[in-house]
Amino acid sequence: MTEPLHRPEADRNERIRVLHVDDDREFTELVATFLERVDDAFSVRSETAAADALEALETEDERIDCIVSDYDMPGADGLELLETVRDRDVDVPFVLFTGKGSEEIASEAISAGVTDYLQKEGGTDQYTVLANRVRNAVDQHRSKRALAASQDRLSRFIEQSPLGIIEYDETFEIVRVNPVAEEITGYTAEELVGGTWMPIVAEADRRRVAEIERGLLADRGGYRSVNDNVTRDGERIRCAWHNQVVTDDDGEVIRVFSQFEDITEREERKRELERTNSVLSTVFDTLPHGVLVEDADRRVLAVNHRLYDLFEIDGNPEEAVGADCERFAIEVSDRFADPEGFVTRLSSVVEAGEPVYDERLILADGGTLRRTYRPVDLPEGDGHLWLYRPGGDEAASE
């Protein structure tokens, strides 16, 4: 009695559709019985002529995973069937299982692209051998199909990625470049493939990039970097790189994928913003007026040293950012002749939302301050700008 094949549990429920073609009806029934007994994943359809087999390929609802065919049959022999199947672009394993064996037929079968060749013998052991051959052929075919599908998905991802992508082999030779990488660097894929990163890296950065390469090949870092690059036209650009190492089962590096983007304009905007902020900060802190800016929720956004001087507040103005403006007003209200009126007036001005110019404030010591209010538009909503300056004799002495 033949024993079922032992296969990984994950594969047990994956059906294998076999189309068996042989002009001996009784033999096809015998083959179907034994194959399905040997491997419970098998489902065998039997036909006695090549024409019927071709029709079955076209009408079968489920994909045929393997064709097992006799050689010597009326109408068309097994190799003629194989040729027709391939002409119809049907990519399916094809096992020639024939009683008419010879070196000539075997050679002809191999030349025709048959997947496997097996000669019929007596006894039931031949069905176990056939089942193994079919199983191996189908497993290999499925693996190739899965690999091809995976490679196709990878190729589509690389080609359609919004980032530049350069693929390196285990020696860090470029093997693939996507269209965005061509656009960023100015080089064509033909100019880069087979070479290294040297042409696109600024000379001053090459030693550092070489260190990154060594780290990647050892799979010990270098996954992110920012460096200067050079386009084909000699233009200096700044790029951010994100590198991914691919290793085999032994941990050896077999591929490195580098995704990158041109951040030159972004970096320039960042530097310009930093310069602008530096200038504004200097101007803000050297104004002769005390300044306080609050957001729509009446939280302090900015306050300068001059306001702290006018209100005689100890501490660092930067620490006030985020504080509640009403509470802040209450804390300094004792500087004024009418503390409660000072706080109430602030709230009413904000509620009205109308500009106020040079409003006179009486201090507790008899001096005066002048206050100006302007509503301002901020990216996150309405804001409020307060300016304070000395009034009367204090202004003249400044």
Short mmCIF file of all heavy atoms in Angstrom, two decimals, residues 253-294:
data_model
loop_
_atom_site.label_atom_id
_atom_site.label_comp_id
_atom_site.label_asym_id
_atom_site.label_seq_id
_atom_site.Cartn_x
_atom_site.Cartn_y
_atom_site.Cartn_z
N VAL A 253 25.08 40.40 3.13
CA VAL A 253 24.43 41.45 2.35
C VAL A 253 24.39 41.06 0.88
O VAL A 253 25.41 40.70 0.29
CB VAL A 253 25.17 42.79 2.51
CG1 VAL A 253 24.56 43.86 1.60
CG2 VAL A 253 25.12 43.26 3.96
N ILE A 254 23.20 41.08 0.28
CA ILE A 254 23.06 40.76 -1.14
C ILE A 254 22.56 41.94 -1.96
O ILE A 254 22.73 41.98 -3.18
CB ILE A 254 22.13 39.54 -1.35
CG1 ILE A 254 20.75 39.80 -0.72
CG2 ILE A 254 22.75 38.28 -0.80
CD1 ILE A 254 19.74 38.69 -1.00
N ARG A 255 21.95 42.91 -1.29
CA ARG A 255 21.45 44.10 -1.98
C ARG A 255 21.40 45.26 -1.00
O ARG A 255 21.19 45.09 0.20
CB ARG A 255 20.04 43.89 -2.56
CG ARG A 255 19.99 43.13 -3.88
CD ARG A 255 20.58 43.94 -5.02
NE ARG A 255 20.37 43.33 -6.31
CZ ARG A 255 21.18 42.44 -6.88
NH1 ARG A 255 22.25 42.02 -6.23
NH2 ARG A 255 20.91 41.99 -8.09
N VAL A 256 21.57 46.46 -1.54
CA VAL A 256 21.37 47.68 -0.78
C VAL A 256 20.50 48.60 -1.63
O VAL A 256 20.82 48.87 -2.80
CB VAL A 256 22.69 48.39 -0.42
CG1 VAL A 256 22.40 49.71 0.30
CG2 VAL A 256 23.56 47.50 0.45
N PHE A 257 19.39 49.04 -1.07
CA PHE A 257 18.50 49.97 -1.76
C PHE A 257 18.63 51.34 -1.11
O PHE A 257 18.45 51.48 0.11
CB PHE A 257 17.05 49.49 -1.69
CG PHE A 257 16.78 48.26 -2.50
CD1 PHE A 257 16.91 46.99 -1.94
CD2 PHE A 257 16.41 48.36 -3.83
CE1 PHE A 257 16.66 45.85 -2.68
CE2 PHE A 257 16.16 47.22 -4.59
CZ PHE A 257 16.29 45.96 -4.02
N SER A 258 18.93 52.34 -1.91
CA SER A 258 19.07 53.71 -1.42
C SER A 258 17.95 54.57 -2.00
O SER A 258 17.87 54.74 -3.22
CB SER A 258 20.42 54.29 -1.82
OG SER A 258 21.48 53.61 -1.16
N GLN A 259 17.10 55.07 -1.12
CA GLN A 259 16.06 56.01 -1.53
C GLN A 259 16.53 57.41 -1.13
O GLN A 259 17.02 57.60 -0.01
CB GLN A 259 14.74 55.70 -0.84
CG GLN A 259 14.20 54.30 -1.15
CD GLN A 259 12.85 54.06 -0.51
OE1 GLN A 259 11.84 54.64 -0.90
NE2 GLN A 259 12.81 53.21 0.50
N PHE A 260 16.36 58.36 -2.03
CA PHE A 260 16.86 59.70 -1.71
C PHE A 260 15.98 60.77 -2.34
O PHE A 260 15.23 60.51 -3.27
CB PHE A 260 18.32 59.85 -2.15
CG PHE A 260 18.54 59.80 -3.64
CD1 PHE A 260 18.82 60.95 -4.36
CD2 PHE A 260 18.50 58.60 -4.32
CE1 PHE A 260 19.03 60.92 -5.73
CE2 PHE A 260 18.73 58.54 -5.70
CZ PHE A 260 18.99 59.70 -6.40
N GLU A 261 16.10 61.98 -1.79
CA GLU A 261 15.36 63.13 -2.30
C GLU A 261 16.23 64.37 -2.24
O GLU A 261 17.10 64.49 -1.37
CB GLU A 261 14.06 63.34 -1.51
CG GLU A 261 14.27 63.56 -0.02
CD GLU A 261 12.97 63.75 0.71
OE1 GLU A 261 12.03 64.31 0.12
OE2 GLU A 261 12.88 63.34 1.89
N ASP A 262 15.98 65.27 -3.17
CA ASP A 262 16.70 66.53 -3.23
C ASP A 262 16.07 67.49 -2.22
O ASP A 262 14.91 67.87 -2.37
CB ASP A 262 16.61 67.10 -4.65
CG ASP A 262 17.39 68.40 -4.82
OD1 ASP A 262 17.89 68.93 -3.80
OD2 ASP A 262 17.49 68.88 -5.96
N ILE A 263 16.82 67.85 -1.19
CA ILE A 263 16.29 68.75 -0.15
C ILE A 263 16.99 70.11 -0.21
O ILE A 263 16.96 70.85 0.78
CB ILE A 263 16.45 68.12 1.25
CG1 ILE A 263 17.92 67.85 1.57
CG2 ILE A 263 15.62 66.86 1.37
CD1 ILE A 263 18.15 67.46 3.03
N THR A 264 17.59 70.42 -1.35
CA THR A 264 18.33 71.68 -1.48
C THR A 264 17.44 72.88 -1.16
O THR A 264 17.79 73.74 -0.34
CB THR A 264 18.91 71.83 -2.90
OG1 THR A 264 19.65 70.66 -3.23
CG2 THR A 264 19.81 73.04 -2.99
N GLU A 265 16.28 72.97 -1.80
CA GLU A 265 15.38 74.09 -1.57
C GLU A 265 14.87 74.10 -0.15
O GLU A 265 14.73 75.17 0.48
CB GLU A 265 14.21 74.04 -2.56
CG GLU A 265 14.61 74.31 -4.00
CD GLU A 265 13.40 74.40 -4.91
OE1 GLU A 265 12.27 74.39 -4.39
OE2 GLU A 265 13.58 74.46 -6.14
N ARG A 266 14.57 72.93 0.38
CA ARG A 266 14.08 72.85 1.75
C ARG A 266 15.13 73.35 2.74
O ARG A 266 14.82 74.10 3.68
CB ARG A 266 13.71 71.40 2.09
CG ARG A 266 13.08 71.22 3.46
CD ARG A 266 13.04 69.78 3.88
NE ARG A 266 12.47 68.92 2.85
CZ ARG A 266 12.51 67.59 2.89
NH1 ARG A 266 13.12 66.99 3.92
NH2 ARG A 266 11.97 66.88 1.93
N GLU A 267 16.39 72.95 2.51
CA GLU A 267 17.47 73.39 3.38
C GLU A 267 17.67 74.90 3.28
O GLU A 267 17.91 75.57 4.28
CB GLU A 267 18.76 72.66 3.00
CG GLU A 267 18.75 71.18 3.34
CD GLU A 267 19.10 70.93 4.79
OE1 GLU A 267 20.26 71.10 5.16
OE2 GLU A 267 18.18 70.54 5.54
N GLU A 268 17.56 75.42 2.05
CA GLU A 268 17.72 76.86 1.84
C GLU A 268 16.60 77.63 2.54
O GLU A 268 16.84 78.67 3.17
CB GLU A 268 17.74 77.19 0.35
CG GLU A 268 17.97 78.67 0.04
CD GLU A 268 19.22 79.23 0.67
OE1 GLU A 268 20.25 78.52 0.71
OE2 GLU A 268 19.17 80.38 1.15
N ARG A 269 15.37 77.10 2.43
CA ARG A 269 14.25 77.75 3.13
C ARG A 269 14.45 77.72 4.64
O ARG A 269 14.13 78.68 5.35
CB ARG A 269 12.93 77.07 2.76
CG ARG A 269 12.44 77.36 1.34
CD ARG A 269 10.99 76.97 1.18
NE ARG A 269 10.75 75.57 1.44
CZ ARG A 269 10.82 74.61 0.52
NH1 ARG A 269 11.11 74.93 -0.73
NH2 ARG A 269 10.58 73.35 0.83
N LYS A 270 14.98 76.60 5.12
CA LYS A 270 15.23 76.47 6.55
C LYS A 270 16.27 77.48 7.01
O LYS A 270 16.10 78.14 8.04
CB LYS A 270 15.72 75.04 6.86
CG LYS A 270 16.02 74.79 8.32
CD LYS A 270 16.51 73.37 8.53
CE LYS A 270 16.89 73.13 9.99
NZ LYS A 270 17.42 71.75 10.20
N ARG A 271 17.37 77.62 6.22
CA ARG A 271 18.40 78.59 6.58
C ARG A 271 17.85 80.02 6.51
O ARG A 271 18.16 80.86 7.36
CB ARG A 271 19.60 78.45 5.64
CG ARG A 271 20.47 77.23 5.94
CD ARG A 271 21.78 77.31 5.19
NE ARG A 271 21.59 77.20 3.75
CZ ARG A 271 21.60 76.07 3.08
NH1 ARG A 271 21.79 74.92 3.73
NH2 ARG A 271 21.43 76.05 1.77
N GLU A 272 17.04 80.29 5.48
CA GLU A 272 16.46 81.62 5.35
C GLU A 272 15.53 81.92 6.52
O GLU A 272 15.53 83.04 7.05
CB GLU A 272 15.68 81.71 4.03
CG GLU A 272 15.11 83.10 3.73
CD GLU A 272 16.19 84.16 3.59
OE1 GLU A 272 17.29 83.83 3.08
OE2 GLU A 272 15.92 85.30 3.99
N LEU A 273 14.74 80.92 6.93
CA LEU A 273 13.85 81.10 8.07
C LEU A 273 14.66 81.36 9.34
O LEU A 273 14.29 82.21 10.16
CB LEU A 273 12.96 79.88 8.24
CG LEU A 273 11.95 79.91 9.40
CD1 LEU A 273 10.99 81.08 9.22
CD2 LEU A 273 11.19 78.59 9.49
N GLU A 274 15.75 80.62 9.51
CA GLU A 274 16.59 80.81 10.69
C GLU A 274 17.20 82.20 10.70
O GLU A 274 17.27 82.85 11.75
CB GLU A 274 17.70 79.74 10.72
CG GLU A 274 17.18 78.35 11.04
CD GLU A 274 18.25 77.28 10.88
OE1 GLU A 274 19.33 77.61 10.33
OE2 GLU A 274 18.02 76.14 11.31
N ARG A 275 17.64 82.68 9.51
CA ARG A 275 18.19 84.02 9.43
C ARG A 275 17.12 85.07 9.76
O ARG A 275 17.36 86.02 10.51
CB ARG A 275 18.75 84.28 8.03
CG ARG A 275 20.07 83.59 7.74
CD ARG A 275 20.71 84.14 6.48
NE ARG A 275 19.93 83.80 5.29
CZ ARG A 275 20.16 82.73 4.53
NH1 ARG A 275 21.13 81.88 4.86
NH2 ARG A 275 19.41 82.49 3.47
N THR A 276 15.92 84.87 9.18
CA THR A 276 14.83 85.81 9.44
C THR A 276 14.46 85.84 10.91
O THR A 276 14.27 86.91 11.50
CB THR A 276 13.60 85.44 8.59
OG1 THR A 276 13.96 85.47 7.20
CG2 THR A 276 12.45 86.39 8.83
N ASN A 277 14.34 84.66 11.50
CA ASN A 277 13.99 84.58 12.92
C ASN A 277 15.06 85.23 13.80
O ASN A 277 14.75 85.86 14.81
CB ASN A 277 13.79 83.13 13.34
CG ASN A 277 12.50 82.55 12.81
OD1 ASN A 277 11.60 83.29 12.44
ND2 ASN A 277 12.41 81.23 12.77
N SER A 278 16.31 85.06 13.41
CA SER A 278 17.40 85.66 14.17
C SER A 278 17.32 87.19 14.12
O SER A 278 17.47 87.87 15.15
CB SER A 278 18.75 85.21 13.62
OG SER A 278 19.81 85.80 14.31
N VAL A 279 17.05 87.72 12.91
CA VAL A 279 16.91 89.17 12.76
C VAL A 279 15.71 89.68 13.56
O VAL A 279 15.81 90.67 14.30
CB VAL A 279 16.78 89.55 11.27
CG1 VAL A 279 16.42 91.03 11.12
CG2 VAL A 279 18.07 89.25 10.53
N LEU A 280 14.58 88.99 13.40
CA LEU A 280 13.37 89.41 14.10
C LEU A 280 13.54 89.35 15.62
O LEU A 280 13.06 90.23 16.34
CB LEU A 280 12.18 88.54 13.68
CG LEU A 280 11.67 88.75 12.26
CD1 LEU A 280 10.56 87.75 11.96
CD2 LEU A 280 11.17 90.18 12.06
N SER A 281 14.23 88.33 16.07
CA SER A 281 14.46 88.18 17.51
C SER A 281 15.30 89.33 18.03
O SER A 281 15.03 89.90 19.11
CB SER A 281 15.14 86.85 17.79
OG SER A 281 15.44 86.71 19.16
N THR A 282 16.32 89.70 17.26
CA THR A 282 17.18 90.81 17.66
C THR A 282 16.40 92.12 17.69
O THR A 282 16.48 92.90 18.65
CB THR A 282 18.38 90.94 16.70
OG1 THR A 282 19.11 89.72 16.69
CG2 THR A 282 19.28 92.09 17.12
N VAL A 283 15.62 92.36 16.63
CA VAL A 283 14.80 93.58 16.56
C VAL A 283 13.80 93.60 17.72
O VAL A 283 13.60 94.63 18.38
CB VAL A 283 14.08 93.67 15.20
CG1 VAL A 283 13.06 94.80 15.21
CG2 VAL A 283 15.09 93.86 14.08
N PHE A 284 13.16 92.47 17.96
CA PHE A 284 12.12 92.36 18.99
C PHE A 284 12.69 92.73 20.36
O PHE A 284 12.06 93.45 21.14
CB PHE A 284 11.59 90.93 18.99
CG PHE A 284 10.41 90.69 19.88
CD1 PHE A 284 9.18 91.24 19.60
CD2 PHE A 284 10.54 89.90 21.02
CE1 PHE A 284 8.08 91.02 20.42
CE2 PHE A 284 9.45 89.66 21.84
CZ PHE A 284 8.22 90.23 21.54
N ASP A 285 13.90 92.23 20.64
CA ASP A 285 14.47 92.47 21.97
C ASP A 285 15.13 93.83 22.11
O ASP A 285 15.46 94.25 23.22
CB ASP A 285 15.50 91.38 22.29
CG ASP A 285 14.85 90.15 22.89
OD1 ASP A 285 13.81 90.29 23.54
OD2 ASP A 285 15.39 89.05 22.70
N THR A 286 15.34 94.54 21.00
CA THR A 286 15.97 95.86 21.10
C THR A 286 14.98 97.00 20.87
O THR A 286 15.38 98.16 20.80
CB THR A 286 17.12 95.97 20.08
OG1 THR A 286 16.63 95.68 18.76
CG2 THR A 286 18.24 95.01 20.43
N LEU A 287 13.70 96.68 20.72
CA LEU A 287 12.68 97.72 20.55
C LEU A 287 12.60 98.60 21.81
O LEU A 287 12.75 98.09 22.93
CB LEU A 287 11.30 97.09 20.31
CG LEU A 287 11.03 96.52 18.91
CD1 LEU A 287 9.70 95.78 18.92
CD2 LEU A 287 11.00 97.64 17.87
N PRO A 288 12.36 99.90 21.64
CA PRO A 288 12.20 100.78 22.81
C PRO A 288 10.86 100.58 23.50
O PRO A 288 10.60 101.15 24.56
CB PRO A 288 12.31 102.18 22.21
CG PRO A 288 11.84 102.03 20.80
CD PRO A 288 12.28 100.66 20.38
N HIS A 289 9.96 99.80 22.89
CA HIS A 289 8.64 99.52 23.45
C HIS A 289 8.63 98.13 24.10
O HIS A 289 9.31 97.20 23.64
CB HIS A 289 7.56 99.54 22.37
CG HIS A 289 7.34 100.90 21.75
ND1 HIS A 289 8.27 101.52 20.96
CD2 HIS A 289 6.27 101.74 21.82
CE1 HIS A 289 7.80 102.70 20.55
NE2 HIS A 289 6.58 102.86 21.06
N GLY A 290 7.83 98.00 25.13
CA GLY A 290 7.54 96.68 25.65
C GLY A 290 6.48 96.02 24.77
O GLY A 290 5.49 96.65 24.41
N VAL A 291 6.71 94.76 24.40
CA VAL A 291 5.81 94.08 23.47
C VAL A 291 5.35 92.76 24.07
O VAL A 291 6.15 92.01 24.65
CB VAL A 291 6.51 93.80 22.11
CG1 VAL A 291 5.52 93.15 21.14
CG2 VAL A 291 7.09 95.07 21.52
N LEU A 292 4.05 92.50 23.93
CA LEU A 292 3.49 91.19 24.30
C LEU A 292 2.52 90.77 23.20
O LEU A 292 1.67 91.57 22.78
CB LEU A 292 2.78 91.25 25.65
CG LEU A 292 2.26 89.90 26.17
CD1 LEU A 292 2.40 89.81 27.69
CD2 LEU A 292 0.80 89.65 25.77
N VAL A 293 2.67 89.52 22.75
CA VAL A 293 1.77 88.97 21.72
C VAL A 293 1.08 87.75 22.32
O VAL A 293 1.73 86.89 22.93
CB VAL A 293 2.54 88.56 20.45
CG1 VAL A 293 1.57 88.07 19.37
CG2 VAL A 293 3.40 89.72 19.92
N GLU A 294 -0.26 87.69 22.16
CA GLU A 294 -1.01 86.55 22.66
C GLU A 294 -1.86 85.95 21.54
O GLU A 294 -2.19 86.63 20.56
CB GLU A 294 -1.89 86.96 23.83
CG GLU A 294 -2.89 88.06 23.50
CD GLU A 294 -3.69 88.50 24.72
OE1 GLU A 294 -3.23 89.38 25.47
OE2 GLU A 294 -4.79 87.92 24.91
#
